[in-house]
Amino acid sequence: MRRRGVTVILGALITALLAAGVMVAPLPYVVLKPGPTVNTLGSDNGTEVIQVKKGETSTSAGQLRLTTVNVQSKVELVWAIEGWLSGEDAVVPKELIYPPNQTVKQVQEQNAQEWKASQTSAETVALRELGYPVLTFVDKITSGGAAEGKLAVGDVITAIDGTKIERPEQISELVRAKPVGTTLTVSYERDGKDATAQIATKAAADDDTPRLGIEIDTKQPNPFDIEIDLEKIGGPSAGLMFSLGIIDKLKPEDLTGGKIIAGTGTIDDNGNVGPIGGIPQKLVGADKAGAELFLVPKDNCAEALRNAVPGLPMAEVATVDDALAALATFTSGGTPKPCSAS
């Protein structure tokens, strides 16, 4: 009996130790939690988030809050269980956040690059909304090319065959839409004066693609010096809220109407709002911050509806113009276009 008792005790002890080992062993999962929200019109750690060093700015009564997700990368079984049982957190395979072919450092570096790119696009879009368009100009002329002797370096291309150039990609699209040898009317601005040139396209040396024989670049003249100062946040998902924040600061009107408005979404140079990850956690974070409206990228709407937070209305946005329209409608007492599942 004594030997049997010792065996039982040892067995129980070993089982307990094994269980304890399992409880503290790292799992191949991460836990997504609601992260902090930041008012893009305010300050973070005593520093203005959006700094305009040249040009006048306005002050708004409300807030435009970007939203974030905290990633808990070291996950033990007990924390995973807590996450699975939580109504706010999500437990997902680690490889979804940290691809197996990338180190954590590489992922962080990529997030930092995307963060900077989102700020650049946000500024580009905001300035265009404020009346400062992106100009496409001739950076180089190919020797023997179609435009040699007709265009000059520095010429701003304004239209081709009457179609206004609003994006640099339009030039190649319009040129390639017609056969080699087609004569195009190229409108341009040189030294502040408008002019036109008749240019017959030529084929490229290595294929039959019609070309003007120029290399282009872009510029966006404006009187402002804008800088975004916000540390410890990465990725591109704050692009939309940065763009709205810049517009609000540089416009005399208060876009917020005294309301607390949160949102998320990437933004490209053309003002398109793209989907992001972690929408359930961002909705929870926005609600905790007192948000009265949440701007949701159109492609995230179905997921947002499945994870809707009671009392927090959601507006569907596919472009920055959609977001501005939603703000105008909401602050005037109306209901912005709601999220739809389709």
mmCIF file of all heavy atoms in Angstrom, residues 29-36 68-93 277-285 288 303 306-307 309:
data_model
loop_
_atom_site.group_PDB
_atom_site.id
_atom_site.type_symbol
_atom_site.label_atom_id
_atom_site.label_comp_id
_atom_site.label_asym_id
_atom_site.label_seq_id
_atom_site.Cartn_x
_atom_site.Cartn_y
_atom_site.Cartn_z
ATOM 1 N N TYR A 29 0.638 31.204 -31.699
ATOM 2 C CA TYR A 29 -0.477 32.128 -31.877
ATOM 3 C C TYR A 29 -0.091 33.506 -31.350
ATOM 4 O O TYR A 29 0.862 33.651 -30.576
ATOM 5 C CB TYR A 29 -1.725 31.645 -31.128
ATOM 6 C CG TYR A 29 -2.325 30.380 -31.677
ATOM 7 C CD1 TYR A 29 -1.946 29.135 -31.170
ATOM 8 C CD2 TYR A 29 -3.267 30.424 -32.709
ATOM 9 C CE1 TYR A 29 -2.492 27.960 -31.678
ATOM 10 C CE2 TYR A 29 -3.812 29.255 -33.214
ATOM 11 C CZ TYR A 29 -3.429 28.033 -32.704
ATOM 12 O OH TYR A 29 -3.961 26.881 -33.208
ATOM 13 N N VAL A 30 -0.840 34.520 -31.767
ATOM 14 C CA VAL A 30 -0.739 35.848 -31.179
ATOM 15 C C VAL A 30 -2.141 36.276 -30.762
ATOM 16 O O VAL A 30 -3.143 35.768 -31.286
ATOM 17 C CB VAL A 30 -0.146 36.886 -32.152
ATOM 18 C CG1 VAL A 30 1.279 36.511 -32.542
ATOM 19 C CG2 VAL A 30 -1.016 37.024 -33.407
ATOM 20 N N VAL A 31 -2.212 37.189 -29.815
ATOM 21 C CA VAL A 31 -3.500 37.707 -29.366
ATOM 22 C C VAL A 31 -3.614 39.163 -29.811
ATOM 23 O O VAL A 31 -2.720 39.977 -29.536
ATOM 24 C CB VAL A 31 -3.643 37.616 -27.832
ATOM 25 C CG1 VAL A 31 -4.990 38.194 -27.396
ATOM 26 C CG2 VAL A 31 -3.530 36.164 -27.376
ATOM 27 N N LEU A 32 -4.680 39.466 -30.533
ATOM 28 C CA LEU A 32 -4.957 40.838 -30.961
ATOM 29 C C LEU A 32 -5.864 41.493 -29.935
ATOM 30 O O LEU A 32 -6.929 40.976 -29.612
ATOM 31 C CB LEU A 32 -5.621 40.847 -32.339
ATOM 32 C CG LEU A 32 -4.908 40.083 -33.460
ATOM 33 C CD1 LEU A 32 -5.669 40.227 -34.767
ATOM 34 C CD2 LEU A 32 -3.480 40.568 -33.620
ATOM 35 N N LYS A 33 -5.440 42.631 -29.420
ATOM 36 C CA LYS A 33 -6.193 43.336 -28.391
ATOM 37 C C LYS A 33 -6.480 44.769 -28.843
ATOM 38 O O LYS A 33 -5.719 45.328 -29.646
ATOM 39 C CB LYS A 33 -5.386 43.390 -27.080
ATOM 40 C CG LYS A 33 -5.087 42.028 -26.449
ATOM 41 C CD LYS A 33 -4.198 42.178 -25.233
ATOM 42 C CE LYS A 33 -4.034 40.847 -24.499
ATOM 43 N NZ LYS A 33 -5.283 40.482 -23.798
ATOM 44 N N PRO A 34 -7.565 45.374 -28.352
ATOM 45 C CA PRO A 34 -7.812 46.791 -28.669
ATOM 46 C C PRO A 34 -6.619 47.630 -28.229
ATOM 47 O O PRO A 34 -6.162 47.523 -27.089
ATOM 48 C CB PRO A 34 -9.065 47.122 -27.847
ATOM 49 C CG PRO A 34 -9.744 45.810 -27.656
ATOM 50 C CD PRO A 34 -8.642 44.799 -27.529
ATOM 51 N N GLY A 35 -6.105 48.433 -29.139
ATOM 52 C CA GLY A 35 -4.967 49.290 -28.820
ATOM 53 C C GLY A 35 -5.411 50.697 -28.507
ATOM 54 O O GLY A 35 -6.613 51.019 -28.545
ATOM 55 N N PRO A 36 -4.465 51.582 -28.221
ATOM 56 C CA PRO A 36 -4.817 52.973 -27.931
ATOM 57 C C PRO A 36 -5.327 53.692 -29.172
ATOM 58 O O PRO A 36 -5.022 53.302 -30.299
ATOM 59 C CB PRO A 36 -3.494 53.568 -27.446
ATOM 60 C CG PRO A 36 -2.441 52.716 -28.085
ATOM 61 C CD PRO A 36 -3.013 51.336 -28.136
ATOM 62 N N THR A 68 -5.891 51.660 -33.232
ATOM 63 C CA THR A 68 -4.787 50.704 -33.360
ATOM 64 C C THR A 68 -5.150 49.360 -32.739
ATOM 65 O O THR A 68 -6.152 49.226 -32.042
ATOM 66 C CB THR A 68 -3.512 51.233 -32.657
ATOM 67 O OG1 THR A 68 -3.745 51.281 -31.240
ATOM 68 C CG2 THR A 68 -3.139 52.617 -33.155
ATOM 69 N N VAL A 69 -4.288 48.389 -32.995
ATOM 70 C CA VAL A 69 -4.415 47.048 -32.412
ATOM 71 C C VAL A 69 -3.098 46.703 -31.733
ATOM 72 O O VAL A 69 -2.020 46.887 -32.314
ATOM 73 C CB VAL A 69 -4.728 45.994 -33.491
ATOM 74 C CG1 VAL A 69 -4.753 44.593 -32.892
ATOM 75 C CG2 VAL A 69 -6.056 46.294 -34.167
ATOM 76 N N ASN A 70 -3.178 46.230 -30.504
ATOM 77 C CA ASN A 70 -1.991 45.717 -29.821
ATOM 78 C C ASN A 70 -1.834 44.234 -30.135
ATOM 79 O O ASN A 70 -2.819 43.486 -30.099
ATOM 80 C CB ASN A 70 -2.108 45.903 -28.308
ATOM 81 C CG ASN A 70 -1.728 47.318 -27.880
ATOM 82 O OD1 ASN A 70 -1.052 48.037 -28.607
ATOM 83 N ND2 ASN A 70 -2.168 47.718 -26.698
ATOM 84 N N VAL A 71 -0.617 43.821 -30.444
ATOM 85 C CA VAL A 71 -0.333 42.422 -30.750
ATOM 86 C C VAL A 71 0.493 41.826 -29.622
ATOM 87 O O VAL A 71 1.622 42.246 -29.366
ATOM 88 C CB VAL A 71 0.421 42.276 -32.087
ATOM 89 C CG1 VAL A 71 0.716 40.804 -32.364
ATOM 90 C CG2 VAL A 71 -0.376 42.884 -33.229
ATOM 91 N N GLN A 72 -0.073 40.842 -28.922
ATOM 92 C CA GLN A 72 0.661 40.105 -27.892
ATOM 93 C C GLN A 72 1.295 38.905 -28.573
ATOM 94 O O GLN A 72 0.624 37.935 -28.922
ATOM 95 C CB GLN A 72 -0.284 39.661 -26.773
ATOM 96 C CG GLN A 72 0.399 38.893 -25.655
ATOM 97 C CD GLN A 72 -0.578 38.426 -24.593
ATOM 98 O OE1 GLN A 72 -1.675 38.956 -24.466
ATOM 99 N NE2 GLN A 72 -0.178 37.416 -23.835
ATOM 100 N N SER A 73 2.604 38.974 -28.788
ATOM 101 C CA SER A 73 3.278 37.972 -29.613
ATOM 102 C C SER A 73 3.694 36.728 -28.838
ATOM 103 O O SER A 73 3.789 35.647 -29.414
ATOM 104 C CB SER A 73 4.504 38.587 -30.295
ATOM 105 O OG SER A 73 5.367 39.158 -29.343
ATOM 106 N N LYS A 74 3.947 36.853 -27.534
ATOM 107 C CA LYS A 74 4.278 35.683 -26.730
ATOM 108 C C LYS A 74 3.014 35.218 -26.035
ATOM 109 O O LYS A 74 2.481 35.907 -25.162
ATOM 110 C CB LYS A 74 5.366 36.009 -25.705
ATOM 111 C CG LYS A 74 5.807 34.801 -24.895
ATOM 112 C CD LYS A 74 6.891 35.154 -23.885
ATOM 113 C CE LYS A 74 7.306 33.931 -23.073
ATOM 114 N NZ LYS A 74 8.338 34.249 -22.059
ATOM 115 N N VAL A 75 2.530 34.053 -26.419
ATOM 116 C CA VAL A 75 1.232 33.574 -25.926
ATOM 117 C C VAL A 75 1.388 32.204 -25.287
ATOM 118 O O VAL A 75 1.856 31.259 -25.921
ATOM 119 C CB VAL A 75 0.202 33.497 -27.081
ATOM 120 C CG1 VAL A 75 -1.127 32.957 -26.565
ATOM 121 C CG2 VAL A 75 0.020 34.869 -27.708
ATOM 122 N N GLU A 76 1.011 32.116 -24.026
ATOM 123 C CA GLU A 76 0.952 30.835 -23.330
ATOM 124 C C GLU A 76 -0.493 30.363 -23.313
ATOM 125 O O GLU A 76 -1.421 31.141 -23.569
ATOM 126 C CB GLU A 76 1.504 30.994 -21.912
ATOM 127 C CG GLU A 76 2.975 31.401 -21.897
ATOM 128 C CD GLU A 76 3.486 31.767 -20.517
ATOM 129 O OE1 GLU A 76 2.699 31.639 -19.558
ATOM 130 O OE2 GLU A 76 4.647 32.191 -20.408
ATOM 131 N N LEU A 77 -0.688 29.092 -22.986
ATOM 132 C CA LEU A 77 -2.018 28.489 -23.087
ATOM 133 C C LEU A 77 -3.059 29.248 -22.284
ATOM 134 O O LEU A 77 -4.168 29.498 -22.767
ATOM 135 C CB LEU A 77 -1.970 27.029 -22.628
ATOM 136 C CG LEU A 77 -3.296 26.262 -22.731
ATOM 137 C CD1 LEU A 77 -3.812 26.250 -24.163
ATOM 138 C CD2 LEU A 77 -3.119 24.834 -22.211
ATOM 139 N N VAL A 78 -2.704 29.673 -21.078
ATOM 140 C CA VAL A 78 -3.682 30.368 -20.249
ATOM 141 C C VAL A 78 -4.114 31.679 -20.888
ATOM 142 O O VAL A 78 -5.276 32.076 -20.827
ATOM 143 C CB VAL A 78 -3.119 30.596 -18.817
ATOM 144 C CG1 VAL A 78 -1.902 31.521 -18.839
ATOM 145 C CG2 VAL A 78 -4.206 31.155 -17.907
ATOM 146 N N TRP A 79 -3.164 32.364 -21.536
ATOM 147 C CA TRP A 79 -3.512 33.627 -22.200
ATOM 148 C C TRP A 79 -4.343 33.365 -23.453
ATOM 149 O O TRP A 79 -5.226 34.146 -23.789
ATOM 150 C CB TRP A 79 -2.240 34.395 -22.559
ATOM 151 C CG TRP A 79 -1.443 34.810 -21.358
ATOM 152 C CD1 TRP A 79 -1.915 35.040 -20.099
ATOM 153 C CD2 TRP A 79 -0.030 35.016 -21.295
ATOM 154 N NE1 TRP A 79 -0.890 35.386 -19.254
ATOM 155 C CE2 TRP A 79 0.286 35.384 -19.953
ATOM 156 C CE3 TRP A 79 1.001 34.943 -22.211
ATOM 157 C CZ2 TRP A 79 1.584 35.673 -19.539
ATOM 158 C CZ3 TRP A 79 2.291 35.230 -21.801
ATOM 159 C CH2 TRP A 79 2.578 35.585 -20.478
ATOM 160 N N ALA A 80 -4.019 32.280 -24.154
ATOM 161 C CA ALA A 80 -4.807 31.923 -25.331
ATOM 162 C C ALA A 80 -6.255 31.638 -24.939
ATOM 163 O O ALA A 80 -7.196 32.065 -25.609
ATOM 164 C CB ALA A 80 -4.193 30.730 -26.044
ATOM 165 N N ILE A 81 -6.411 30.905 -23.836
ATOM 166 C CA ILE A 81 -7.761 30.590 -23.369
ATOM 167 C C ILE A 81 -8.503 31.874 -23.005
ATOM 168 O O ILE A 81 -9.678 32.051 -23.357
ATOM 169 C CB ILE A 81 -7.693 29.628 -22.160
ATOM 170 C CG1 ILE A 81 -7.157 28.265 -22.612
ATOM 171 C CG2 ILE A 81 -9.070 29.472 -21.519
ATOM 172 C CD1 ILE A 81 -6.881 27.314 -21.470
ATOM 173 N N GLU A 82 -7.811 32.781 -22.321
ATOM 174 C CA GLU A 82 -8.420 34.066 -21.976
ATOM 175 C C GLU A 82 -8.842 34.822 -23.231
ATOM 176 O O GLU A 82 -9.912 35.425 -23.283
ATOM 177 C CB GLU A 82 -7.440 34.911 -21.166
ATOM 178 C CG GLU A 82 -7.215 34.432 -19.744
ATOM 179 C CD GLU A 82 -6.204 35.282 -19.000
ATOM 180 O OE1 GLU A 82 -5.668 36.223 -19.627
ATOM 181 O OE2 GLU A 82 -5.946 35.019 -17.820
ATOM 182 N N GLY A 83 -7.985 34.782 -24.260
ATOM 183 C CA GLY A 83 -8.303 35.467 -25.511
ATOM 184 C C GLY A 83 -9.501 34.856 -26.208
ATOM 185 O O GLY A 83 -10.370 35.568 -26.722
ATOM 186 N N TRP A 84 -9.556 33.510 -26.210
ATOM 187 C CA TRP A 84 -10.680 32.825 -26.865
ATOM 188 C C TRP A 84 -12.001 33.133 -26.161
ATOM 189 O O TRP A 84 -13.044 33.233 -26.784
ATOM 190 C CB TRP A 84 -10.437 31.317 -26.879
ATOM 191 C CG TRP A 84 -9.504 30.877 -27.975
ATOM 192 C CD1 TRP A 84 -9.520 31.293 -29.282
ATOM 193 C CD2 TRP A 84 -8.427 29.939 -27.874
ATOM 194 N NE1 TRP A 84 -8.513 30.686 -29.991
ATOM 195 C CE2 TRP A 84 -7.822 29.834 -29.159
ATOM 196 C CE3 TRP A 84 -7.907 29.180 -26.825
ATOM 197 C CZ2 TRP A 84 -6.736 29.016 -29.420
ATOM 198 C CZ3 TRP A 84 -6.816 28.345 -27.092
ATOM 199 C CH2 TRP A 84 -6.244 28.272 -28.371
ATOM 200 N N LEU A 85 -11.925 33.291 -24.846
ATOM 201 C CA LEU A 85 -13.140 33.549 -24.073
ATOM 202 C C LEU A 85 -13.507 35.031 -24.050
ATOM 203 O O LEU A 85 -14.624 35.392 -23.705
ATOM 204 C CB LEU A 85 -12.967 33.042 -22.636
ATOM 205 C CG LEU A 85 -12.765 31.529 -22.475
ATOM 206 C CD1 LEU A 85 -12.516 31.172 -21.017
ATOM 207 C CD2 LEU A 85 -13.981 30.763 -23.005
ATOM 208 N N SER A 86 -12.555 35.869 -24.415
ATOM 209 C CA SER A 86 -12.799 37.310 -24.366
ATOM 210 C C SER A 86 -13.734 37.752 -25.483
ATOM 211 O O SER A 86 -13.735 37.211 -26.587
ATOM 212 C CB SER A 86 -11.469 38.062 -24.490
ATOM 213 O OG SER A 86 -11.680 39.443 -24.700
ATOM 214 N N GLY A 87 -14.513 38.759 -25.195
ATOM 215 C CA GLY A 87 -15.376 39.323 -26.228
ATOM 216 C C GLY A 87 -14.690 40.418 -27.012
ATOM 217 O O GLY A 87 -15.265 40.968 -27.953
ATOM 218 N N GLU A 88 -13.443 40.750 -26.622
ATOM 219 C CA GLU A 88 -12.724 41.843 -27.270
ATOM 220 C C GLU A 88 -11.498 41.380 -28.057
ATOM 221 O O GLU A 88 -11.162 41.964 -29.080
ATOM 222 C CB GLU A 88 -12.275 42.866 -26.216
ATOM 223 C CG GLU A 88 -13.420 43.522 -25.453
ATOM 224 C CD GLU A 88 -12.900 44.516 -24.432
ATOM 225 O OE1 GLU A 88 -11.654 44.633 -24.289
ATOM 226 O OE2 GLU A 88 -13.721 45.197 -23.788
ATOM 227 N N ASP A 89 -10.833 40.342 -27.563
ATOM 228 C CA ASP A 89 -9.573 39.906 -28.162
ATOM 229 C C ASP A 89 -9.807 38.853 -29.242
ATOM 230 O O ASP A 89 -10.880 38.256 -29.336
ATOM 231 C CB ASP A 89 -8.647 39.332 -27.092
ATOM 232 C CG ASP A 89 -8.377 40.329 -25.976
ATOM 233 O OD1 ASP A 89 -8.640 41.527 -26.186
ATOM 234 O OD2 ASP A 89 -7.897 39.901 -24.909
ATOM 235 N N ALA A 90 -8.768 38.637 -30.036
ATOM 236 C CA ALA A 90 -8.807 37.580 -31.056
ATOM 237 C C ALA A 90 -7.492 36.811 -31.000
ATOM 238 O O ALA A 90 -6.416 37.413 -30.904
ATOM 239 C CB ALA A 90 -9.016 38.171 -32.442
ATOM 240 N N VAL A 91 -7.579 35.492 -31.042
ATOM 241 C CA VAL A 91 -6.393 34.635 -31.074
ATOM 242 C C VAL A 91 -6.241 34.121 -32.499
ATOM 243 O O VAL A 91 -7.122 33.448 -33.027
ATOM 244 C CB VAL A 91 -6.535 33.452 -30.084
ATOM 245 C CG1 VAL A 91 -5.280 32.591 -30.112
ATOM 246 C CG2 VAL A 91 -6.808 33.967 -28.673
ATOM 247 N N VAL A 92 -5.117 34.446 -33.134
ATOM 248 C CA VAL A 92 -4.910 34.074 -34.536
ATOM 249 C C VAL A 92 -3.548 33.425 -34.691
ATOM 250 O O VAL A 92 -2.635 33.658 -33.872
ATOM 251 C CB VAL A 92 -5.012 35.301 -35.471
ATOM 252 C CG1 VAL A 92 -6.380 35.962 -35.343
ATOM 253 C CG2 VAL A 92 -3.908 36.306 -35.167
ATOM 254 N N PRO A 93 -3.360 32.586 -35.719
ATOM 255 C CA PRO A 93 -2.047 31.976 -35.949
ATOM 256 C C PRO A 93 -0.963 33.040 -36.091
ATOM 257 O O PRO A 93 -1.158 34.072 -36.747
ATOM 258 C CB PRO A 93 -2.247 31.204 -37.256
ATOM 259 C CG PRO A 93 -3.709 30.905 -37.289
ATOM 260 C CD PRO A 93 -4.373 32.112 -36.681
ATOM 261 N N GLY A 277 -6.564 45.303 -41.073
ATOM 262 C CA GLY A 277 -6.827 44.193 -40.173
ATOM 263 C C GLY A 277 -7.244 44.689 -38.800
ATOM 264 O O GLY A 277 -7.047 45.852 -38.455
ATOM 265 N N GLY A 278 -7.817 43.781 -38.011
ATOM 266 C CA GLY A 278 -8.139 44.113 -36.630
ATOM 267 C C GLY A 278 -9.330 45.020 -36.431
ATOM 268 O O GLY A 278 -9.412 45.710 -35.414
ATOM 269 N N ILE A 279 -10.274 45.014 -37.372
ATOM 270 C CA ILE A 279 -11.418 45.921 -37.240
ATOM 271 C C ILE A 279 -12.219 45.669 -35.963
ATOM 272 O O ILE A 279 -12.679 46.628 -35.324
ATOM 273 C CB ILE A 279 -12.320 45.853 -38.505
ATOM 274 C CG1 ILE A 279 -13.303 47.033 -38.539
ATOM 275 C CG2 ILE A 279 -13.085 44.560 -38.595
ATOM 276 C CD1 ILE A 279 -12.690 48.328 -38.900
ATOM 277 N N PRO A 280 -12.413 44.405 -35.502
ATOM 278 C CA PRO A 280 -13.179 44.224 -34.256
ATOM 279 C C PRO A 280 -12.529 44.916 -33.061
ATOM 280 O O PRO A 280 -13.206 45.540 -32.244
ATOM 281 C CB PRO A 280 -13.206 42.699 -34.078
ATOM 282 C CG PRO A 280 -12.986 42.147 -35.446
ATOM 283 C CD PRO A 280 -12.036 43.105 -36.090
ATOM 284 N N GLN A 281 -11.190 44.792 -32.956
ATOM 285 C CA GLN A 281 -10.492 45.406 -31.840
ATOM 286 C C GLN A 281 -10.491 46.937 -31.957
ATOM 287 O O GLN A 281 -10.566 47.647 -30.954
ATOM 288 C CB GLN A 281 -9.045 44.894 -31.768
ATOM 289 C CG GLN A 281 -8.914 43.446 -31.340
ATOM 290 C CD GLN A 281 -9.403 42.446 -32.379
ATOM 291 O OE1 GLN A 281 -9.080 42.574 -33.559
ATOM 292 N NE2 GLN A 281 -10.171 41.452 -31.963
ATOM 293 N N LYS A 282 -10.431 47.445 -33.165
ATOM 294 C CA LYS A 282 -10.434 48.897 -33.354
ATOM 295 C C LYS A 282 -11.790 49.503 -32.998
ATOM 296 O O LYS A 282 -11.869 50.616 -32.465
ATOM 297 C CB LYS A 282 -10.035 49.237 -34.797
ATOM 298 C CG LYS A 282 -8.570 48.918 -35.077
ATOM 299 C CD LYS A 282 -8.152 49.301 -36.482
ATOM 300 C CE LYS A 282 -6.655 49.031 -36.669
ATOM 301 N NZ LYS A 282 -6.178 49.416 -38.008
ATOM 302 N N LEU A 283 -12.863 48.775 -33.277
ATOM 303 C CA LEU A 283 -14.186 49.249 -32.892
ATOM 304 C C LEU A 283 -14.297 49.338 -31.369
ATOM 305 O O LEU A 283 -14.837 50.318 -30.830
ATOM 306 C CB LEU A 283 -15.264 48.318 -33.447
ATOM 307 C CG LEU A 283 -15.515 48.384 -34.954
ATOM 308 C CD1 LEU A 283 -16.383 47.212 -35.406
ATOM 309 C CD2 LEU A 283 -16.184 49.707 -35.332
ATOM 310 N N VAL A 284 -13.782 48.334 -30.681
ATOM 311 C CA VAL A 284 -13.827 48.338 -29.215
ATOM 312 C C VAL A 284 -12.996 49.497 -28.668
ATOM 313 O O VAL A 284 -13.424 50.231 -27.763
ATOM 314 C CB VAL A 284 -13.317 47.002 -28.639
ATOM 315 C CG1 VAL A 284 -13.170 47.086 -27.121
ATOM 316 C CG2 VAL A 284 -14.255 45.868 -29.022
ATOM 317 N N GLY A 285 -11.796 49.693 -29.223
ATOM 318 C CA GLY A 285 -10.941 50.787 -28.775
ATOM 319 C C GLY A 285 -11.580 52.143 -28.995
ATOM 320 O O GLY A 285 -11.493 53.037 -28.143
ATOM 321 N N LYS A 288 -14.327 52.742 -26.415
ATOM 322 C CA LYS A 288 -13.765 53.090 -25.105
ATOM 323 C C LYS A 288 -13.270 54.536 -25.080
ATOM 324 O O LYS A 288 -13.235 55.167 -24.015
ATOM 325 C CB LYS A 288 -12.616 52.140 -24.757
ATOM 326 C CG LYS A 288 -13.065 50.719 -24.436
ATOM 327 C CD LYS A 288 -11.885 49.835 -24.075
ATOM 328 C CE LYS A 288 -12.352 48.438 -23.676
ATOM 329 N NZ LYS A 288 -11.221 47.540 -23.324
ATOM 330 N N GLU A 303 -17.172 42.513 -42.100
ATOM 331 C CA GLU A 303 -16.571 42.087 -40.840
ATOM 332 C C GLU A 303 -16.981 43.016 -39.705
ATOM 333 O O GLU A 303 -17.245 42.568 -38.577
ATOM 334 C CB GLU A 303 -15.045 42.059 -40.965
ATOM 335 C CG GLU A 303 -14.344 41.554 -39.713
ATOM 336 C CD GLU A 303 -12.822 41.628 -39.820
ATOM 337 O OE1 GLU A 303 -12.314 42.237 -40.784
ATOM 338 O OE2 GLU A 303 -12.159 41.066 -38.929
ATOM 339 N N ARG A 306 -20.398 42.217 -38.394
ATOM 340 C CA ARG A 306 -20.420 41.011 -37.552
ATOM 341 C C ARG A 306 -19.886 41.298 -36.148
ATOM 342 O O ARG A 306 -20.138 40.525 -35.221
ATOM 343 C CB ARG A 306 -19.593 39.893 -38.202
ATOM 344 C CG ARG A 306 -20.169 39.351 -39.498
ATOM 345 C CD ARG A 306 -19.480 38.044 -39.889
ATOM 346 N NE ARG A 306 -18.049 38.192 -40.084
ATOM 347 C CZ ARG A 306 -17.463 38.491 -41.235
ATOM 348 N NH1 ARG A 306 -18.222 38.703 -42.315
ATOM 349 N NH2 ARG A 306 -16.147 38.586 -41.332
ATOM 350 N N ASN A 307 -19.149 42.379 -36.017
ATOM 351 C CA ASN A 307 -18.535 42.712 -34.733
ATOM 352 C C ASN A 307 -18.969 44.091 -34.250
ATOM 353 O O ASN A 307 -18.227 44.777 -33.531
ATOM 354 C CB ASN A 307 -17.009 42.669 -34.858
ATOM 355 C CG ASN A 307 -16.478 41.283 -35.167
ATOM 356 O OD1 ASN A 307 -16.256 40.488 -34.264
ATOM 357 N ND2 ASN A 307 -16.283 40.987 -36.453
ATOM 358 N N VAL A 309 -20.366 47.255 -32.383
ATOM 359 C CA VAL A 309 -20.428 47.635 -30.975
ATOM 360 C C VAL A 309 -21.713 48.435 -30.758
ATOM 361 O O VAL A 309 -21.928 49.447 -31.433
ATOM 362 C CB VAL A 309 -19.200 48.480 -30.588
ATOM 363 C CG1 VAL A 309 -19.331 48.992 -29.158
ATOM 364 C CG2 VAL A 309 -17.920 47.665 -30.753
#
